[in-house]
Amino acid sequence: MGKQVGAHIVWDWNGTLFHDIDAVIGATNAAFGELGLEQITLEQYRELYCVPVPKFYERLMGRLPTEAEWEVMDETFHRYYDEHRVRCGLADGAAQLLAEWRSAGHSQSLLSMYGHEELVPLVRRFGIEAHFIRVDGRTGPSGGSKAEHMVRHLGALSGVVAARTVVIGDAADDAVAARSVGARAVLYAGGSHSRASLEGVGVPVVDTLGEAVAEAERLAM
């Protein structure tokens, strides 16, 4: 008999475990301000947000940003976000949920489109690094899709199978990334997307991370 492969969660970071939506809205508006564009509200952001990010900007501008505009907006966004993320914390109950999942004998990892060099010290600062068997942030330019990163991430995890893996995130892209490797997904409506926009994706949508973990356990068993 081979070793029983357990349930595994791949967590998203921004907007899921890390409650940074206020910093994200501020950074988005700072980026828009650079081009003299209208400021947007949280509701507008959640309704229109999508990846790749230039596509999101196209929805707001009525056209894709030029390469020069994208560079200005991307640089402004990250500069503002880096200044304001220090006031952001983990989502309610996140640390406890991570500890409980681990103590139940399950495994979990973290895959983010946030830069790897910035992500690792942030995760460490919150004292949750030990709960993950792997932490991967984005390497390379920003603006791409999560699916290609998910293939590499899952491939690097020993003893984890896609059929018993559930991705928990706050964006449609998390469900697309899960599908690309044959995993399941649960989407959390407390981050970057509205519940209405997530419900069209075709995977379970929940309002709390506690519900997300319960759903992940059900899907992975």
Side-chain angles (χ1 to χ4, degrees):
M1 286 275 293
K3 181 176 178 286
Q4 174 67 36
V5 177
H8 182 82
I9 291 174
V10 178
W11 289 95
D12 171 56
W13 180 245
N14 303 95
T16 304
L17 288 174
F18 189 45
H19 188 69
D20 62 348
I21 193 71
D22 294 337
V24 167
I25 298 293
T28 300
N29 279 326
F32 288 173
E34 286 291 314
L35 300 187
L37 298 170
E38 289 284 314
Q39 303 286 283
I40 67 163
T41 64
L42 172 61
E43 288 68 31
Q44 286 172 309
Y45 183 93
R46 282 183 163 153
E47 209 51 56
L48 296 170
Y49 181 74
C50 64
V51 292
V53 177
K55 188 84 186 154
F56 166 55
Y57 289 160
E58 181 183 22
R59 288 180 171 187
L60 290 156
M61 297 168 69
R63 61 175 176 79
L64 272 171
T66 65
E67 201 168 315
E69 286 173 334
W70 163 249
E71 282 179 16
V72 167
M73 294 170 89
D74 193 47
E75 193 275 330
T76 303
F77 178 94
H78 286 101
R79 188 178 67 239
Y80 181 100
Y81 179 83
D82 288 343
E83 285 170 18
H84 290 78
R85 71 167 190 212
V86 293
R87 290 200 290 275
C88 302
L90 294 177
D92 284 347
Q96 187 178 345
L97 288 166
L98 293 172
E100 287 171 353
W101 183 259
R102 181 186 176 200
S103 65
H106 308 311
S107 62
Q108 57 200 330
S109 58
L110 180 59
L111 175 63
S112 175
M113 295 296 278
Y114 191 52
H116 186 75
E117 300 301 318
E118 292 81 33
L119 175 68
V120 172
L122 197 51
V123 170
R124 204 165 279 159
R125 197 183 92 204
F126 285 116
I128 57 173
E129 187 183 21
H131 297 317
F132 304 110
I133 60 172
R134 187 177 180 90
V135 173
D136 278 334
R138 174 187 47 76
T139 53
S142 58
S145 166
K146 202 171 196 172
E148 60 190 286
H149 297 280
M150 185 65 74
V151 172
R152 285 196 296 272
H153 181 74
L154 218 58
L157 299 177
S158 171
V160 171
V161 295
R164 297 201 64 195
T165 296
V166 180
V167 176
I168 297 179
D170 68 320
D173 196 44
D174 292 300
V176 172
R179 208 170 291 137
S180 74
V181 292
R184 313 290 279 279
V186 178
L187 297 180
Y188 164 61
S192 61
H193 283 259
S194 68
R195 177 175 257 281
S197 64
L198 292 176
E199 282 174 342
V201 177
V203 302
V205 178
V206 297
D207 294 310
T208 69
L209 292 184
E211 290 172 275
V213 170
E215 189 67 22
E217 189 160 24
R218 188 183 70 77
L219 291 171
M221 292 308 173

